Amino acid sequence: MYKGKRVSLVLGGGGVKGLAHIGVLKALARRGIVPDEYVGSSVGSLVGAMAAGGMMPEDIERVALSIQRKDILDYNWKGLIWRRGRMRSLYLGDALHDLVRRILPVDRFDQLLKPAYMTSVDVNSGYEIIWGMPGWTDYPIHDCVVAACSVPGIYPPKEIGPYHLVDGSLVDTLPIKVSVYNSADLIIAVYLEEPVADRPRAVHRLGIGAILEQSQAILSRAILKHNLRFFSDAPLILITPHIPSQGMFQFERTVEVIREGEMAADHALSTHPYLKGEAKPAAGDDGRGRPPATRRPDSRLFGKKG
């Protein structure tokens, strides 16, 4: 809540770049802005679940800075040698699963202090599932977070019930539609991908991991452009930390990445008209800065059980 406004914080994906979300949380806390809900894709779902479970930004930072590559990356050597073209991923995903289960403060949705939503996609049907929505709170949070973080090709699909799930960023890199559906008065969203560089890197020479990462980034930018156009009337503050040349699993600049998130949030929050009281409601909205009802997403977009 901030000055009577219901605040939704949306945290995008980006691997280790997701440490920037911690800096954003620190900047929000310093201004007395307390999110009423957390929406996350990929690593954003993990940070959001930790915050919704009651962890302070400094506690999340302490845990994050202790994580090493071996804590999330376990090479799928047997698959590479024996299964080859039929291997499901570069990494087994067991290390990631164990880490997420260990660091989350709570593991049931009804134990969260604030609502948390995390996106994933059933790789067989293409249905998007948003954990935390009504009817989607029956499973342990750590399983839902792992599903949300299972980048295709990097980690294997996470099996939950009848579903085999991958990273929700595949269909929505910054799921502000959840915030719009929940009628948030103010949406603060953090996008981690860099704009297209004037002088692109020679990604084609850097191996399969870099190619998969760059492919996801290209798709991510296209989806974001569509969403910003579709929800152009939403009361949105977009924070875009400047994290150049930071790979998905590069741990060498973790403190710097957190600081970049904090600086980007400080700049956006100190200059945006929504927080300075200068913004006027968009034409056709309900008078409180909310988007028109015709732009409210259909709940059927959020997947179905079956």
Side-chain angles (χ1 to χ4, degrees), residues 1-230:
M1 193 70 67
Y2 181 70
K3 294 184 178 181
K5 295 181 181 292
R6 187 173 178 279
V7 179
S8 180
L9 180 61
V10 185
L11 305 175
V16 175
K17 288 185 286 188
L19 291 171
H21 293 322
I22 301 172
V24 173
L25 290 174
K26 293 170 74 173
L28 291 175
R30 195 161 52 245
R31 283 170 170 74
I33 301 175
V34 181
D36 295 279
E37 66 178 19
Y38 298 83
V39 182
S41 64
S42 200
V43 67
S45 69
L46 174 57
V47 176
M50 295 171 79
M55 293 182 68
M56 301 299 292
E58 293 76 16
D59 298 326
I60 301 175
E61 180 178 30
R62 192 177 308 110
V63 171
L65 292 178
S66 71
I67 297 173
Q68 303 176 37
R69 286 177 61 89
K70 63 181 178 62
D71 294 321
I72 60 172
L73 302 179
D74 46 356
Y75 277 104
N76 186 8
W77 294 115
K78 288 185 179 180
L80 183 62
I81 295 171
W82 298 109
R83 294 182 64 86
R84 298 185 182 179
R86 292 179 59 83
M87 66 181 291
R88 299 192 302 163
S89 59
L90 291 174
Y91 302 102
L92 295 171
D94 296 335
L96 175 66
H97 181 274
D98 292 343
L99 173 74
V100 172
R101 183 169 53 183
R102 186 171 68 250
I103 66 177
L104 285 177
V106 299
D107 204 28
R108 296 203 318 263
F109 281 93
D110 60 4
Q111 294 175 320
L112 293 170
L113 300 184
K114 298 289 179 69
Y117 305 93
M118 46 219 68
T119 66
S120 58
V121 179
D122 178 43
V123 73
N124 293 321
S125 66
Y127 288 131
E128 181 181 23
I129 293 174
I130 301 182
W131 304 102
M133 294 293 284
W136 296 99
T137 59
D138 299 335
Y139 296 97
I141 294 176
H142 78 267
D143 281 337
C144 302
V145 169
V146 170
C149 293
S150 294
V151 181
I154 303 296
Y155 292 114
K158 173 64 178 175
E159 184 175 353
I160 301 180
Y163 307 103
H164 294 80
L165 300 151
V166 295
D167 188 344
S169 295
L170 189 66
V171 297
D172 195 348
T173 187
L174 197 64
I176 58 177
K177 65 174 179 283
V178 178
S179 307
V180 174
Y181 181 81
N182 288 338
S183 300
D185 297 305
L186 178 62
I187 303 169
I188 300 174
V190 187
Y191 182 69
L192 300 176
E193 297 293 349
E194 281 288 298
V196 178
D198 294 332
R199 300 180 61 183
R201 295 183 301 156
V203 175
H204 64 286
R205 299 176 181 173
L206 300 179
I208 185 172
I211 292 173
L212 287 171
E213 182 180 343
Q214 177 71 350
S215 299
Q216 179 66 30
I218 293 170
L219 178 61
S220 170
R221 287 190 286 265
I223 294 172
L224 178 69
K225 178 184 276 188
H226 169 271
N227 280 354
L228 292 180
R229 185 165 57 244
F230 187 82

